[in-house]
Amino acid sequence: MTNPRTGYPDGYLIYLIKQIDSGLRRPFDELISGHGISTAGYTALTVLQSRPGMTSSELARRTFVRAQTMAETVTSLTQAGYVRREKDPAHGLQILLYITDLGLERVAELAPEVAHLESDLVGALGEGEPAELIRALRACRDALAALSRDERPSV
Amino acid sequence: MTNPRTGYPDGYLIYLIKQIDSGLRRPFDELISGHGISTAGYTALTVLQSRPGMTSSELARRTFVRAQTMAETVTSLTQAGYVRREKDPAHGLQILLYITDLGLERVAELAPEVAHLESDLVGALGEGEPAELIRALRACRDALAALSRDERPSV
DNA sequence: GAAAGATTTCAGGTAACCTGCAATCGCAAT
DNA sequence: ATTGCGATTGCAGGTTACCTGAAATCTTTC
């Protein structure tokens, strides 16, 4: 009933994460809709901003979705002019993705509002706690990545 | 660009939460499908387990979804025999929800596997860190709840 | 007792996932 | 070299979990 690793009921951590994600969905969608971009698209765009030249499949692995799902997202971003596709000269098969100036513009436009929502989210936390929270969540994310590598090398 | 409250780029905390939620989706779905229950249904069921006698609308507020959405989930749980609906004698309109023995059975069945997934998730964290993480996430959840109360008293 | 608010229900729609299948290419081993 | 395997990409078809809109019923408030 009570998980010795967490000190709370089994599944409570997972429940909390799902609950927060659900609670973010609406305010987040409100922010970005009206800027001509979807939630999935925004996520992909921010990853491409910090890591230009990824393939769609790499992007899919990083965000824990199937390659086919990410391909759809990337297609609409490309059609909107936020992402540019370039054939990899070394790898005839792969197509490398780059965020365009227009894409950078959209992300920059949204940054203040996203930062504001994030500040609301951590508003009740004390000094240094948000950084600590992020550190812990990164460890969880990495654990999940290791899990999905082991269990489904590629489907 | 960098949020002074988090010490990380704007939106990174939100990104991490969405990423982890996405990473949990597949292993979690794998766990519970095959036990005749959906993700949304499982969530509602665990809440009803700890707080019997809620209305569907209350449940909706708690999980940050619209009342109509929760009504659908509750309908299928009722049809499956996991939830019992009882007219509130004091409030002719409200219908109170109770988890049934069958519902409790399903939740109990799944508890070990959910606990295992959760242990994997926090596997890289040190002594006492999971409890600290949960505490911080609860504060974030409460901040979100306050937000949604203020901005949309009820739509 | 009428207006305002909340709960429930029905109807219709969408975003973001999924599986399955096929074509193409790189790479390694026979 | 050719055969076979894994990875990337593309196309087709579904599902889940959300959403809005609108109406009926009941409670509360003025």
Side-chain angles (χ1 to χ4, degrees):
Chain A
M1 241 27 185
T2 295
N3 194 324
R5 301 257 326 125
T6 67
Y8 286 88
D10 284 341
Y12 188 58
L13 174 58
I14 293 176
Y15 168 70
L16 267 179
I17 290 170
K18 291 196 168 301
Q19 194 183 15
I20 293 174
D21 184 74
S22 179
L24 283 170
R25 180 172 5 253
R26 244 173 310 154
F28 196 76
D29 282 0
E30 250 171 64
L31 283 191
I32 66 173
S33 70
H35 288 258
I37 193 171
S38 74
T39 300
Y42 176 79
T43 303
L45 224 46
T46 56
V47 176
L48 280 178
Q49 182 181 24
S50 60
R51 296 186 146 76
M54 297 181 77
T55 68
S56 179
S57 296
E58 251 176 290
L59 211 45
R61 276 190 295 272
R62 187 172 290 268
T63 53
F64 297 108
V65 300
R66 293 268 178 259
Q68 298 92 318
T69 302
M70 183 53 71
E72 280 179 49
T73 303
V74 167
T75 296
S76 68
L77 285 174
T78 306
Q79 283 166 356
Y82 299 151
V83 161
R84 183 168 34 88
R85 297 157 44 101
E86 259 180 42
K87 272 192 142 38
D88 185 340
H91 252 5
L93 181 59
Q94 294 184 356
I95 296 174
L96 308 182
L97 303 174
Y98 297 92
I99 189 170
T100 63
D101 288 343
L102 190 61
L104 286 170
E105 214 178 284
R106 284 289 167 280
V107 173
E109 241 170 61
L110 286 162
E113 300 184 67
V114 172
H116 188 270
L117 176 59
E118 196 167 72
S119 294
D120 283 349
L121 191 64
V122 298
L125 297 182
E127 188 73 27
E129 284 191 296
E132 197 47 40
L133 171 60
I134 286 180
R135 212 192 51 69
L137 288 177
R138 282 171 65 111
C140 291
R141 189 266 319 271
D142 292 342
L144 270 182
L147 252 191
S148 70
R149 262 197 308 278
D150 295 348
E151 300 198 350
R152 322 183 130 223
S154 79
V155 177
Chain B
M1 240 29 185
T2 296
N3 194 325
R5 300 253 329 122
T6 67
Y8 286 87
D10 283 342
Y12 188 58
L13 174 58
I14 293 176
Y15 168 71
L16 267 179
I17 290 170
K18 291 196 168 301
Q19 194 183 14
I20 292 174
D21 185 75
S22 178
L24 283 170
R25 184 178 356 261
R26 246 175 308 157
F28 197 76
D29 282 0
E30 250 171 65
L31 283 192
I32 66 173
S33 70
H35 288 258
I37 193 170
S38 73
T39 300
Y42 176 79
T43 302
L45 223 45
T46 57
V47 176
L48 280 178
Q49 182 181 25
S50 60
R51 295 187 147 73
M54 295 182 77
T55 68
S56 180
S57 295
E58 252 176 288
L59 211 46
R61 278 189 294 272
R62 187 173 290 269
T63 52
F64 297 108
V65 301
R66 293 270 179 257
Q68 298 94 317
T69 302
M70 184 52 72
E72 279 178 50
T73 303
V74 167
T75 296
S76 67
L77 286 174
T78 307
Q79 283 166 356
Y82 300 151
V83 161
R84 181 168 35 86
R85 297 156 43 100
E86 262 181 40
K87 273 193 139 40
D88 186 339
H91 263 297
L93 181 59
Q94 294 182 358
I95 296 176
L96 308 182
L97 303 175
Y98 297 91
I99 188 169
T100 63
D101 288 345
L102 191 61
L104 286 170
E105 214 177 283
R106 283 290 166 279
V107 173
E109 242 170 60
L110 286 163
E113 301 184 66
V114 172
H116 187 270
L117 176 58
E118 196 167 72
S119 294
D120 283 349
L121 191 63
V122 299
L125 296 182
E127 187 74 27
E129 282 191 297
E132 197 48 39
L133 171 59
I134 287 181
R135 212 193 52 69
L137 288 177
R138 282 171 66 111
C140 290
R141 189 266 318 272
D142 293 342
L144 269 183
L147 252 191
S148 70
R149 263 197 307 279
D150 295 348
E151 299 198 350
R152 324 184 127 225
S154 78
V155 176

